[in-house]
């Protein structure tokens, strides 16, 4: 992930730290840190088993373990307000240059595992195919990331969608 460190991480001298994908329902990182008690109830409630703890014992999603179904069991289990159904999930997939298909190896595993059909491929010269990810279709579930044999799928945080005002 090519994100810059959070202001909090910078002030603590952790300039290499990048934002973690918190469970669905997590708000802004600072608010999440303040509200999360590190109780582990969200991880215990997750039927997919993809909620792990970071170095600070706060929950994050590990898409190497599986994809998120957005069942909101984690949100329902959080009694402290760290996870709220009103908070929008802002993470979307991104394909890195290590993608096998971009390097001339026939692979479409991410496309096969994308239930949203957000990933397609555009043929290029030299036997390559460029993955094309539709951010409007991608829900950031991690199914493509889990399946990628070289870990070429990362996630970036998008801006919240705002509704047009009349």
């Amino acid at each position: 992930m090519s994100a810059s460190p959070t202001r909090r991480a910078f002030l603590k001298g952790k300039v290499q730290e990048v934002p973690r994908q918190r469970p669905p329902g997590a708000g802004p990182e600072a608010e999440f840190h303040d509200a999360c008690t590190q109780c582990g109830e969200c991880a215990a409630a997750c039927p997919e088993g993809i909620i792990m703890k970071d170095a600070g014992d706060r929950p994050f999603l590990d898409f190497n373990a599986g994809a998120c179904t957005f069942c909101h069991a984690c949100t329902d289990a959080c009694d402290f307000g760290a996870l709220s159904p009103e908070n929008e999930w802002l993470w979307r997939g991104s394909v890195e240059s290590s993608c096998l298909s971009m390097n001339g190896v026939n692979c479409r595993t991410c496309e096969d595992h994308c239930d949203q059909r957000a990933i397609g491929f555009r043929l290029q010269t030299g036997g390559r195919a460029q993955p094309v990810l539709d951010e409007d279709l991608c829900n950031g579930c991690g199914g493509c990331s889990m399946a990628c044999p070289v870990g070429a799928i990362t996630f970036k945080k998008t801006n919240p969608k705002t509704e047009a005002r009349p």
Side-chain angles (χ1 to χ4, degrees), residues 119-136:
I119 303 174
F121 285 83
R122 183 179 308 126
L123 295 177
Q124 306 287 309
T125 59
R128 291 174 170 70
Q130 177 73 34
V132 178
L133 197 136
D134 184 335
E135 271 193 30
D136 291 331

Side-chain angles (χ1 to χ4, degrees), residues 5 14 28 37 50 60 62-64 71 74 76 89 98 107 111 138 145 148 153 159-160:
K14 298 178 182 176
T37 64
I50 62 171
F60 74 96
D62 181 1
F63 290 140
N64 292 320
C71 68
C74 56
D76 295 340
W89 178 250
S98 59
C107 179
E111 180 181 39
C138 178
S145 175
C148 181
I153 309 284
N159 292 323

Side-chain angles (χ1 to χ4, degrees), residues 65-82:
C68 184
T69 60
F70 301 105
C71 68
H72 296 286
C74 56
T75 307
D76 295 340
C78 182
D79 292 331
F80 300 99

Side-chain angles (χ1 to χ4, degrees), residues 73-146:
C74 56
T75 307
D76 295 340
C78 182
D79 292 331
F80 300 99
L83 304 177
S84 170
E86 287 82 37
N87 290 327
E88 185 179 358
W89 178 250
L90 299 173
W91 295 91
R92 299 296 179 263
S94 178
V95 183
E96 301 295 318
S97 61
S98 59
C99 169
L100 292 175
S101 191
M102 290 171 63
N103 289 287
V105 177
N106 187 17
C107 179
R108 305 277 171 95
T109 306
C110 59
E111 180 181 39
D112 294 341
H113 285 83
C114 181
D115 292 339
Q116 303 300 312
R117 309 308 306 156
I119 303 174
F121 285 83
R122 183 179 308 126
L123 295 177
Q124 306 287 309
T125 59
R128 291 174 170 70
Q130 177 73 34
V132 178
L133 197 136
D134 184 335
E135 271 193 30
D136 291 331
L137 292 177
C138 178
N139 66 2
C141 71
C144 57
S145 175
M146 171 195 72

